[in-house]
Amino acid sequence: MKTFIYVAIFFTASMSFAQIEISEETQELENATKTLDTRNTEAYFHANWSSTSRKLIENIAPFGDTLGSRVSEDKLNRWSYGIGFRSRLNDYLSWEGGISLLRNGESYLYEAADTMFTYNTTYMYIGMPVKVLFTYGQQVRLYAGLGVLPQMFIQYRQDQEWLTTLDYREKNTFTTNNGYNSFVFSVVFNVGVQMDITNNMAMYILPEFRYQLTSSYEKQSDFKHYGRALGLNLGLTYKL
């Protein structure tokens, strides 16, 4: 009888100890899960290098005019910058919102015997992108998504340079805010990869294509102008 009592006491103590161990392990796992869940949001900063261009068409009557020399305009490389937040909603979906300084434009070059004229035209905007991204992975994450991009116009700038008859190079810069729509609307597409470099920080490379849907110029302008940009977002994130 005593032996039975000793065995029962030992069995009960063992079960209690095992329950304590399991409870502690479960609590640690829950804490770790909570930690991961609360760190699904990160702040980001990136610099964007893009080859930018435009679609330029004649406006409808009575405002339209022929393209003239502007038909020979070419692409222009420009840097843009952005900051914002990215949050993972589940294993396969994230959303992103931020604010950007965007620049796009076009270039022109005319050369002939003893003469030359060139310019670079830049359109500057404040952008407010909102994106939805397909997400796959943890330490190394793949992103693919699209978003909408309202843009507030800041400035038009044209840097001109020409060769005089005395073989001197002269320059001029022209800036204005008149004649351009205050807001334009674009869509943006991204696909790329992000990789953790510490527990809190990651780096990413996201190729991007921006496609402007509304004209840069006012309704009464001679032309309709739609910016395009194809480039790379190179950035860092910090988990919050």
Side-chain angles (χ1 to χ4, degrees), residues 128-159:
M128 292 155 283
V130 178
K131 305 175 186 177
V132 176
L133 301 165
F134 169 78
T135 308
Y136 181 79
Q138 294 296 333
Q139 282 73 34
V140 177
R141 292 177 288 286
L142 302 178
Y143 288 112
L146 55 85
V148 294
L149 180 56
Q151 298 170 224
M152 181 176 67
F153 179 73
I154 299 177
Q155 186 186 71
Y156 167 95
R157 172 177 175 144
Q158 188 173 92
D159 297 302

Side-chain angles (χ1 to χ4, degrees), residues 104-135:
N104 60 274
E106 57 262 359
S107 63
Y108 174 80
L109 173 63
Y110 172 79
E111 289 182 305
D114 301 325
T115 186
M116 182 275 295
F117 178 70
T118 183
Y119 62 74
N120 292 329
T121 301
T122 302
Y123 306 82
M124 188 178 299
Y125 295 91
I126 293 293
M128 292 155 283
V130 178
K131 305 175 186 177
V132 176
L133 301 165
F134 169 78
T135 308

Side-chain angles (χ1 to χ4, degrees), residues 5 9-10 54 60 66 87-89 94 103 105-106 108 137 142 153 170 185 198 200 209 231 237-238:
I5 294 174
I9 293 173
F10 176 78
R54 87 294 182 273
I60 58 176
T66 58
S87 183
R88 193 157 183 169
L89 301 175
S94 299
R103 299 194 299 170
E106 57 262 359
Y108 174 80
L142 302 178
F153 179 73
E170 295 189 359
F185 191 80
T198 70
N200 296 320
F209 178 59
T237 71
Y238 186 83

Side-chain angles (χ1 to χ4, degrees), residues 166-192:
L166 299 177
D167 203 29
Y168 290 120
R169 286 183 178 267
E170 295 189 359
K171 297 181 179 181
N172 180 58
T173 296
F174 173 74
T175 61
T176 184
N177 293 335
N178 298 322
Y180 300 90
N181 282 324
S182 300
F183 289 91
V184 299
F185 191 80
S186 300
V187 291
V188 58
F189 304 88
N190 292 100
V191 59

